[in-house]
Amino acid sequence: MIRPILRYGETALHTKAARVEKFDDELRKLLRDMAETMYTAPGVGLAAPQIGVPLRVFVIDISVGKRAGELIEMVNPEFVTCEGIQLEEEGCLSIPGFEATVVRPLRAVVHGFDRDGSEKTVEGTGLLARALQHEMDHLDGSLFVDRLRGIKRDVILRKVQKLRRTGQW
Ligand code: NI
């Protein structure tokens, strides 16, 4: 089931998400819905708070469904390693129409659990490292604009506030 994606300003996006306690059918349904919603958007990643579910769950597919077996599902993830620096343009399904250059790690290793509660580790460089940190940020109530400084951040947020005020958001 495709779920509506929340946009910047909605409380769930700015709130730290809770750990998943039960690896049950409800979690598996959530993961299915998240993948479907991400592919339909389309996007390379989606975190549960973006559909209003305050749990530490995300999905990533940097091929956006073009290559089989690239879907990553992560539950209760933690960083093992974050190293190096990359600077690339980045956007977010919850801040549609806006992009900015964001500092991200060049390589990231994340440990967590799959849909059945088995441990798993994902290692990524480049776009995958970027996506991993972007989705991890969502679980802590943080969006890419929160990593921007000064005028770049102000310009985007002022435009978003204006869209919100005029009911176009
Ligand atoms: Ni995002």
Side-chain angles (χ1 to χ4, degrees):
M1 192 175 83
I2 298 166
R3 311 264 202 114
I5 298 174
L6 303 187
R7 295 187 174 196
Y8 185 95
E10 294 188 79
T11 311
L13 285 175
H14 307 280
T15 307
K16 192 174 159 78
R19 287 176 65 84
V20 169
E21 301 292 346
K22 276 193 229 148
F23 291 79
D24 55 8
D25 286 346
E26 204 176 321
L27 175 66
R28 288 180 276 276
K29 166 92 168 79
L30 172 67
L31 283 161
R32 271 200 310 278
D33 286 355
M34 286 174 62
E36 196 181 345
T37 303
M38 171 180 73
Y39 288 135
T40 304
V44 299
L46 189 77
Q50 290 183 276
I51 56 166
V53 176
L55 292 173
R56 304 189 77 78
V57 177
F58 68 69
V59 292
I60 288 175
D61 183 343
I62 58 167
S63 85
V64 200
K66 289 191 186 76
R67 294 189 295 269
E70 295 237 346
L71 176 63
I72 295 167
E73 298 177 336
M74 263 293 187
V75 181
N76 297 342
E78 308 271 358
F79 277 117
V80 178
T81 308
C82 252
E83 59 187 19
I85 283 177
Q86 58 169 314
L87 278 165
E88 295 290 342
E89 284 273 301
E90 174 173 331
C92 176
L93 294 174
S94 293
I95 315 178
F98 295 93
E99 287 197 339
T101 303
V102 185
V103 181
R104 295 291 188 186
L106 191 58
R107 177 174 173 266
V109 181
V110 172
H111 174 266
F113 299 87
D114 68 12
R115 53 170 58 209
D116 299 312
S118 301
E119 291 191 51
K120 65 186 282 187
T121 300
V122 175
E123 179 182 345
T125 56
L127 177 58
L128 182 52
R130 165 173 298 278
L132 285 167
Q133 195 190 44
H134 180 114
E135 301 313 326
M136 292 289 278
D137 277 356
H138 273 302
L139 306 185
D140 289 326
S142 185
L143 287 89
F144 80 84
V145 287
D146 298 317
R147 286 192 178 266
L148 303 177
R149 292 287 167 263
I151 194 155
K152 276 204 312 188
R153 181 168 199 257
D154 293 346
V155 166
I156 292 178
L157 292 187
R158 216 173 294 134
K159 286 180 181 164
V160 167
Q161 301 305 352
K162 191 176 173 198
L163 289 169
R164 277 167 64 84
R165 271 201 311 277
T166 53
Q168 299 173 77
W169 189 243

